[in-house]
Structures are given as structure tokens and as C-alpha cells.
């Protein structure tokens, strides 16, 4: 039995069907045969969520989402990162063996730095210049209005850019603490986290070498291969950044609106249609039983079946597929105390593990 651990930042993004199929359900399957834990990385979220009410709401929403999918009695330890007080302590100890040059290479830091440079050096004056030109062309000469419009254009472009601060730079070291604290073997993550896992191993090696020990186990990342990419309602990869997703907890009305707006070609009711190139069918075959998929495939190949029909069938299929998650959520919304209780239980187990590890660490470093 391996120790599996992953963390997810509570940034307020809704979980969508792509995340469910590509990341969450594979994790759930892996968790069934192993000792698994998943935590809400609220300390990491502080890098971008700068409002207390938002962070609290996002954290609760994430716990609600995971318990609805895993079941409230799941053996997976679900916990909040900030309920583990020794994590920042381990983070500090690891800071002292982490080369500065290693952190300079972090993609996330380099991206943030790049955005900040562009923002300060070139694009900001350009935004001002362009907006002035645009306003003058439109006959707007009022300086206050031009200023307001410039501000708006600036916010639109950079509203979501991270402001560069020390946490962004230290982010991978906090992540290393999260992973090394519990003797983790395997960390299931998206491909974008690969470098953070390499850094975690580098930091573990640096610590072990500095103190001539082997107390930190070197973890491996687990990146799900061959996940089929689920299309969104516009046919591109379903993604929050394209705003083309179907949320796991979309209500009936929203779900219907989204399903009915899935992009198709313009073939009419009596035309023969190709199921293999149809976005509606791609979703049908992912979520329907094989029998139902085949019966719908057959309907595509004969006249008298329109995309509207296929969409209504898909709506029924998705409603059915998502029902257990919706029911679980409705129950947990009535009993938030159950969620809190389980989060505390998860934290208790993980605190025991990190406390044991920190005894070893303290011994080794002389604290
Ligand atoms: P988004 O594209 O919405 O920002 P993320 O990058 O946060 O999604 O995705 C987290 C994980 O969810 C990814 O590592 C991937 O495994 C899975 N995932 C996201 N979108 C899809 C999709 N359309 N099809 C399959 N898996 C997906």
C-alpha cells in the first residue's frame, strides 16, 4: 500500500466534467487501493485570494465538492492545509537547504516575473497611449473619462495577474513541505505540476545530503496518461479558461441551457449525421451506458433525428449521471457539521504523521 497525496487550491473555480473525468475520478480509483489523502491548499491560495470571505467560501465549497464525490464516509483523508500547524515550520527548515538558484528556475515564478515586467515596462504606457488615441477618435476629450477607461482596460488585462510577492517565489518550498511531511510515495497532479515535484525531490535530496540522513523519502509524481480530452460546449477542450464547461453542480436550468447550446454543424433533421465528429455525441458516449450509446449512434445514421433530439437525450443522461453527486451535496448542505467533523478527523491523522516526522527532523537539525 502506497501513500498517495495531492493538494488542490481553493481558488473558487467550479469543478467541471473535464476535471472530474481527467483528475478526480482517476484519483478516487487510485485511492481505493492505497493510503490516500487530499488537502485543500488554503495556504497556497493566499498567493491569489486576498479576501477572507472569499477564501472561507472557496474552502468550504471545495470540501463540499470533494465529500459529495468521495462520499462522507470515504477512507481518503480530506483535510485543510492550514489545520496542520507544523507545515510552516517544516517549510522554514526546508528554506534553509533550498538553493536560491533552484527557485529562480520555477516556471510559476518566471511567468509571474515576466508578467510584472511587461506590466511595468512596456504595456502600461502602451495601454495609456492606445486608449487616448481611441478616445480622441471617438470624440472623447474629458481627461477623467479617458483615465477611467484606461484604468478599465488595464484591469481587464492585468486584473488576474498575480502581484509579485515572496510567496510566489517560495511556493514550491511550501509544496515540498506538504509532500515530505507525510512520507508521501506518489503525488497525482496535472502535467503543469511536474516541475514542482522535481523541485520537491531536489529539496529532499539537499536536506538529506546536508544532514547526512535519509529521513525524507523521494516522492514520484503521477500524471494520468491517455486521458481523453472532453470537449466543452464550443467543441474546444472543456476548460474554465474558455468558459465552455459544464459544472458538476450546475442546476437543472443551467445544465439545460448549456447542453442546448452545444455547437454542432448545420445538418438538418433529415440529414444523416456523423456521430464521430459531433460534440454532442462525444459527451453522450462518455456518460451513457454502452447500450444507450449504440442506440443513439444508430439514430444519427438515419433520417428523422435532429441535434435537438440528441441534446435532449444528453441532458437526460447527464442529469442521471450527476444525480448521486447532487443528492450527496444536498444532504451535506443540510449538515455542514459533518464536513467540519470529517475535516478535523483528516487533520488529526495527518497531524499525527507530521508530528512523528518532525521529531526526526528536529533531532537531525538540532532543534
Ligand atoms: P482547466 O482547463 O479548466 O483550467 P485544470 O487545468 O485546472 O482545468 O485541470 C485540472 C485537471 O483536470 C487536469 O490536470 C486534467 O487532468 C483535468 N482536465 C481538465 N480539463 C479536462 C478536459 N477537458 N478533459 C479531460 N481532463 C481534463
Amino acid at each position: 500500500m502506497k501513500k498517495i497525496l495531492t493538494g488542490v487550491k481553493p481558488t473558487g473555480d467550479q469543478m467541471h466534467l473535464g476535471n472530474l473525468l481527467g483528475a478526480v475520478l482517476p484519483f478516487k480509483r487510485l485511492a481505493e487501493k492505497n493510503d490516500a489523502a487530499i488537502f485543500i491548499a488554503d495556504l497556497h491560495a493566499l498567493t491569489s485570494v486576498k479576501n477572507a470571505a472569499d477564501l472561507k467560501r472557496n474552502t468550504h465549497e471545495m470540501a463540499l465538492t470533494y465529500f459529495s464525490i468521495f462520499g462522507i464516509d470515504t477512507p481518503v483523508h480530506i483535510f485543510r492545509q492550514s489545520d496542520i500547524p507544523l507545515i510552516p515550520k517544516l517549510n522554514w527548515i526546508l528554506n534553509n537547504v533550498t538553493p536560491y538558484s533552484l527557485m529562480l528556475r520555477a516556471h510559476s515564478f518566471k511567468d509571474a516575473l515576466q508578467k510584472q515586467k511587461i506590466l511595468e515596462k512596456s504595456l502600461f504606457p502602451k495601454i495609456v497611449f492606445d486608449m487616448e488615441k481611441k478616445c480622441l477618435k471617438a470624440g472623447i476629450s474629458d481627461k477623467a473619462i479617458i483615465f477611467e477607461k484606461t484604468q478599465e482596460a488595464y484591469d481587464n488585462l492585468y486584473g488576474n495577474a498575480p502581484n509579485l510577492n515572496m510567496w510566489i517565489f517560495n511556493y514550491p518550498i511550501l509544496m515540498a513541505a506538504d509532500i515530505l511531511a507525510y512520507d508521501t510515495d506518489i503525488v497525482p497532479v496535472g502535467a503543469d505540476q511536474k516541475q514542482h515535484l522535481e523541485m520537491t525531490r531536489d529539496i529532499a535530496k539537499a536536506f538529506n545530503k546536508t544532514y547526512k540522513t535519509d529521513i525524507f523519502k523521494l516522492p514520484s509524481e503521477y500524471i494520468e496518461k491517455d486521458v481523453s480530452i472532453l470537449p466543452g460546449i464550443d467543441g474546444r477542450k472543456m476548460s474554465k479558461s474558455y468558459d465552455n464547461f459544464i459544472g458538476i453542480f450546475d442546476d437543472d436550468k443551467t445544465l439545460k441551457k448549456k447542453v442546448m447550446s452545444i455547437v454542432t454543424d448545420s445538418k438538418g433533421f433529415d440529414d444523416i449525421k456523423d456521430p464521430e465528429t459531433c460534440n454532442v455525441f462525444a459527451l453522450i458516449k462518455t456518460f451513457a451506458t454502452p447500450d444507450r450509446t449504440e442506440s443513439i449512434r444508430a439514430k444519427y445514421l438515419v433520417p428523422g433525428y435532429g441535434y435537438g433530439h440528441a441534446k435532449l437525450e444528453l441532458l437526460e443522461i447527464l442529469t442521471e449521471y450527476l444525480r448521486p453527486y447532487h443528492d450527496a451535496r444536498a444532504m451535506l448542505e443540510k449538515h455542514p457539521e459533518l464536513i467540519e467533523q470529517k475535516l478535523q478527523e483528516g487533520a488529526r491523522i495527518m497531524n499525527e504523521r507530521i508530528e512523528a516526522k518532525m521529531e526526526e527532523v528536529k533531532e537531525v537539525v538540532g532543534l
Side-chain angles (χ1 to χ4, degrees), residues 161-212:
N163 39 17
L164 208 53
N165 55 44
M166 281 312 291
W167 268 123
I168 286 165
F169 190 63
N170 279 311
Y171 189 107
I173 318 176
L174 181 59
M175 202 163 146
D178 289 331
I179 296 169
L180 301 176
Y182 317 107
D183 285 336
T184 305
D185 296 295
I186 296 170
V187 186
V189 280
D192 61 329
Q193 297 296 310
K194 194 172 187 310
Q195 191 193 34
H196 286 149
L197 264 294
E198 282 159 13
M199 290 178 156
T200 298
R201 285 191 291 273
D202 287 342
I203 293 170
K205 279 189 220 157
F207 181 94
N208 288 348
K209 187 163 175 238
T210 304
Y211 291 103
K212 299 189 179 52

Side-chain angles (χ1 to χ4, degrees), residues 16 18-23 189-192 224 227-231 237-241:
H16 58 67
N19 302 139
L20 183 73
L21 291 192
V189 280
D192 61 329
E224 193 76 26
V227 263
S228 35
I229 297 294
L230 195 70
K237 170 188 181 251
M238 187 178 287
S239 170
K240 59 179 177 284
S241 12

Side-chain angles (χ1 to χ4, degrees), residues 295-306:
S295 100
I296 298 174
R297 187 196 300 280
K299 294 182 200 169
Y300 267 70
L301 303 175
V302 292
Y305 185 78

Side-chain angles (χ1 to χ4, degrees), residues 78-123:
I78 302 181
F79 64 105
R80 266 183 302 247
Q81 186 183 28
S82 59
D83 281 339
I84 314 293
L86 285 174
I87 285 289
K89 189 166 181 173
L90 177 56
N91 173 230
W92 175 248
I93 292 170
L94 295 177
N95 263 285
N96 292 282
V97 294
T98 303
Y100 177 71
S101 58
L102 183 66
M103 293 302 99
L104 286 175
R105 289 204 294 274
H107 299 317
S108 49
F109 174 66
K110 282 207 276 194
D111 285 353
L113 192 65
Q114 189 60 19
K115 276 195 186 130
Q116 189 78 5
K117 275 192 182 150
I118 291 173
L119 177 68
E120 283 166 5
K121 290 222 175 93
S122 63
L123 270 182

Side-chain angles (χ1 to χ4, degrees), residues 285-326:
K285 78 173 178 210
T286 308
F287 294 100
T289 59
D291 282 355
R292 182 133 193 212
T293 303
E294 283 323 303
S295 100
I296 298 174
R297 187 196 300 280
K299 294 182 200 169
Y300 267 70
L301 303 175
V302 292
Y305 185 78
Y307 287 125
H309 293 123
K311 287 177 180 179
L312 285 174
E313 290 210 56
L314 173 61
L315 181 62
E316 195 183 290
I317 290 161
L318 283 178
T319 306
E320 207 50 41
Y321 179 86
L322 292 170
R323 177 162 299 141
Y325 301 140
H326 284 224

Side-chain angles (χ1 to χ4, degrees), residues 103-157:
M103 293 302 99
L104 286 175
R105 289 204 294 274
H107 299 317
S108 49
F109 174 66
K110 282 207 276 194
D111 285 353
L113 192 65
Q114 189 60 19
K115 276 195 186 130
Q116 189 78 5
K117 275 192 182 150
I118 291 173
L119 177 68
E120 283 166 5
K121 290 222 175 93
S122 63
L123 270 182
F124 188 54
K126 189 172 175 336
I127 292 171
V128 176
F129 180 76
D130 286 352
M131 190 49 76
E132 269 178 7
K133 230 168 67 181
K134 214 167 143 188
C135 286
L136 288 176
K137 224 172 156 185
I140 302 168
S141 56
D142 186 328
K143 284 239 155 53
I145 296 177
I146 298 177
F147 178 77
E148 206 176 293
K149 285 186 171 298
T150 308
Q151 187 95 37
E152 216 173 276
Y154 172 86
D155 286 348
N156 281 342
L157 257 179

